[in-house]
Amino acid sequence: MKCLIIAAGQGRRLIHQVSPKPLVPVLGVPLIERVLRAAMEGGADEFVVVIGYQAERLEAGLGQLAQRLQAPIRPVRNEAWQQGNGLSVLKAREWLQESFALLMADHLFDPQILCRLRHQPCFPDVEGQVWLAVDQGLTTNRWVDLDDVTRVLVEAGRIAAIGKQLSPYNAYDTGIFWCSPVLFGALETAMAQSGDSSLSGGMRELAVRGRARALDV
């Protein structure tokens, strides 16, 4: 199973750290290593990691991780990393011709979430879908940063709308996806039609087509 990890951004909330954000240690283990290990436990065995900010240091760190974890890790550079994260997804298109997991380098997660996403049904009436793990516990998750979290409106299991300023909404985006390659075309359409280079922009395009689904975790 292939897994795409987005690790291109600057990580402004941890900008005081010496290391690039994906390499910042949590209890002695770099963030991105924790993500890689969780993904491997969830079934991933081949990785594409899109890098941008401090790319040289990250590429060196990924080389060491590939040896330590005995896993193939392909770094792909996004020179325009300051633009939307959807552009980082598009940079990996060449190596992702079948369904794949999509993760963020700084989102720690339970591997069972990825396992559940992988085994969601493929609806015969829809050609190509993207599943997003969402948290619908709006009143129970007190750690959410409402000024930063991406909000999702879910209707009958489908994503109806998504965005940081969305209202109304009934779920939070966890940043854990199971994707068909249809995502790439949706991102290109969003960029061409509205100049939106974010991953959420591509998901909005898929939502319009009825191809964006949500799994409450």
Side-chain angles (χ1 to χ4, degrees):
M1 181 185 95
K2 291 187 177 182
C3 179
L4 169 60
I5 299 177
I6 303 303
Q10 186 174 4
R12 292 183 179 275
R13 284 170 294 182
L14 291 180
I15 200 66
H16 62 284
Q17 297 286 339
V18 175
S19 300
K21 185 177 182 180
L23 298 181
V24 170
V26 175
L27 298 178
V29 179
L31 275 169
I32 195 167
E33 180 174 348
R34 290 187 177 275
V35 172
L36 286 162
R37 289 183 180 277
M40 292 173 71
E41 190 173 337
D45 55 13
E46 186 175 348
F47 296 91
V48 178
V49 181
V50 180
I51 59 178
Y53 178 71
Q54 294 195 16
E56 292 81 6
R57 295 183 64 186
L58 263 175
E59 193 162 341
L62 289 171
Q64 295 172 5
L65 280 172
Q67 292 184 355
R68 183 155 71 244
L69 300 178
Q70 292 295 292
I73 302 175
R74 177 186 294 274
V76 176
R77 294 199 184 195
N78 176 12
E79 302 297 343
W81 58 267
Q82 292 175 302
Q83 298 182 31
N85 56 359
L87 185 60
S88 289
V89 175
L90 283 172
K91 290 289 183 180
R93 186 177 196 168
E94 178 181 349
W95 296 278
L96 299 167
Q97 303 300 313
E98 66 248 9
S99 293
F100 60 95
L102 169 57
L103 306 172
M104 309 298 135
D106 58 344
H107 288 199
L108 307 185
F109 67 97
D110 184 333
Q112 286 302 312
I113 294 176
L114 184 53
C115 292
R116 290 177 61 194
L117 279 175
R118 288 176 58 202
H119 293 99
Q120 292 307 300
C122 182
F123 292 88
D125 61 322
V126 180
E127 182 182 354
Q129 301 164 81
V130 172
W131 283 86
L132 169 62
V134 300
D135 179 0
Q136 293 191 280
L138 302 189
T139 61
T140 57
N141 191 337
R142 62 191 180 92
W143 299 107
V144 172
D145 180 355
L146 291 177
D147 293 328
D148 184 67
V149 69
T150 298
R151 305 169 182 185
V152 185
L153 179 62
V154 180
E155 297 177 349
R158 296 179 185 266
I159 295 175
I162 184 170
K164 287 188 179 294
Q165 305 303 319
L166 184 66
S167 182
Y169 63 96
N170 56 11
Y172 301 126
D173 175 356
T174 69
I176 307 170
F177 299 78
W178 180 248
C179 304
S180 158
V182 71
L183 176 61
F184 300 121
L187 288 166
E188 289 178 329
T189 298
M191 292 172 66
Q193 293 186 351
S194 62
D196 188 344
S197 59
S198 69
L199 179 54
S200 291
M203 290 298 292
R204 280 189 285 272
E205 177 64 26
L206 289 172
V208 169
R209 304 179 196 174
R211 296 184 177 185
R213 302 249 174 194
L215 173 67
D216 181 24
V217 296

